[in-house]
Amino acid sequence: MSGPLRLYELVLENGRSASPYVWRIRYALAQKQVAYESVMLGFTDIPRTFSGRCKTVPVIEHDGTLISDSWDIAEYLDRTFHTGVKLFSTPAELAMCKLMDAWFAPNVARRMLHVYVLDVHDAAKPEDRAYFRQSREARLQSSLEAVVENRIATLAELREALAPLRTHLRRFPFLGGAAPNYTDYIALGALLWVGSVSTLPLLARDDEVMCAWLERGLELYGGIGRDPRLKPLIE
Ligand SMILES: N[C@@H](CCC(=O)N[C@@H](CS)C(=O)NCC(=O)O)C(=O)O
């Protein structure tokens, strides 16, 4: 019999959980029907909380063990909890989910960052903003303002980059096929992150396929994605 599970999340000024990787795990826990207690941390709380042992969230604490990195957490959940639906029914499914992530990160998530990084800064807790600016500007080798200067053009590229998902979703209700799987959580997690901070709706209103999938995603598991604080994701 295993003990309670604690999920460390990233929180914004408005109290909303805002990491795309944490959202993957929130959906994973829902699919596995695992109850958990949330601990909300700001960016600068993370190193303090884990004394430097974990630098990013999500982190889970379970039976005295800390696990960071969302992929390690997802695999741990499948190994440890035999409730709900397995996240990766076979090694091949895990490999396909990793393939989706390998495509999604440079083509979609990177462009999201270039559209929304200043929005993330502005939505972060006030005490986290200087750290967020400094760390992201060092990583992007540019001021946040300069990164988002051409964001209307980047948003057009981002919408274009969703084409493979659109093609797939004309055939299937979910990226996982008839039912959602971890590939849906990768994309939904990113959209929910954007929706936590966005001052520019991501999806065009006439993008019916993506909009319908988003609505289905938000409804999953009793509507865990829905939140009155969510900014418009559809223009
Ligand atoms: N590879 C990690 C990435 C997690 C990650 O980058 N988390 C970000 C939030 S989206 C974070 O905790 N950043 C802390 C920081 O920037 O100091 C995973 O899959 O869990």
Side-chain angles (χ1 to χ4, degrees):
M1 195 58 192
S2 58
L5 187 143
R6 191 172 284 171
L7 173 64
Y8 293 87
E9 312 195 25
L10 183 67
V11 73
L12 298 173
E13 187 179 24
N14 69 5
R16 196 170 150 77
S17 182
S19 154
Y21 301 99
V22 170
W23 272 104
R24 294 179 186 192
I25 297 306
R26 283 185 150 213
Y27 277 106
L29 288 161
Q31 177 172 319
K32 300 278 305 174
Q33 297 175 5
V34 175
Y36 63 95
E37 170 192 318
S38 284
V39 183
M40 294 294 189
L41 302 177
F43 282 99
T44 52
D45 295 325
I46 298 172
R48 268 199 300 275
T49 304
F50 303 111
S51 313
R53 274 181 300 163
C54 305
K55 294 188 168 46
T56 59
V57 289
V59 170
I60 62 165
E61 190 173 354
H62 185 238
D63 281 349
T65 307
L66 282 181
I67 304 168
S68 65
D69 191 85
S70 53
W71 285 107
D72 289 347
I73 294 171
E75 289 195 67
Y76 175 85
L77 295 179
D78 260 354
R79 274 199 310 278
T80 309
F81 297 95
H82 303 288
T83 48
V85 177
K86 273 194 97 163
L87 299 170
F88 310 114
S89 55
T90 60
E93 184 176 5
L94 172 61
M96 287 300 105
C97 294
K98 291 206 167 182
L99 173 63
M100 156 75 175
D101 202 24
W103 167 79
F104 191 85
N107 292 293
V108 179
R110 187 181 58 83
R111 290 191 171 103
M112 286 174 166
L113 186 68
H114 283 246
V115 176
Y116 297 107
V117 71
L118 188 58
D119 290 348
V120 179
H121 169 272
D122 294 347
K125 289 166 81 175
E127 61 270 33
D128 288 340
R129 287 183 198 156
Y131 161 76
F132 184 85
R133 176 178 287 281
Q134 178 271 322
S135 59
R136 271 44 179 189
E137 289 186 346
R139 197 180 296 170
L140 295 163
Q141 301 273 292
S142 166
S143 72
L144 301 185
E145 287 74 10
V147 172
V148 300
E149 202 172 22
N150 294 320
R151 74 177 190 155
I152 300 296
T154 313
L155 179 62
E157 284 176 25
L158 168 55
R159 289 176 177 177
E160 190 70 30
L162 298 173
L165 304 188
R166 235 172 252 123
T167 303
H168 187 73
L169 291 167
R170 282 195 192 94
R171 298 193 188 111
F172 301 100
F174 290 103
L175 299 175
N181 79 353
Y182 207 77
T183 57
D184 290 273
Y185 309 150
I186 290 170
L188 271 172
L191 278 160
L192 285 169
W193 166 61
V194 167
S196 304
V197 300
S198 164
T199 55
L200 183 65
L202 194 155
L203 296 175
R205 196 175 324 182
D206 61 3
D207 190 351
E208 288 167 19
V209 175
M210 288 304 298
C211 293
W213 165 83
L214 174 63
E215 292 301 327
R216 283 192 290 280
L218 292 175
E219 280 309 307
L220 288 172
Y221 311 117
I224 56 169
R226 293 225 184 267
D227 188 312
R229 291 167 295 185
L230 200 64
K231 310 268 172 54
L233 278 164
I234 301 171
E235 71 186 3

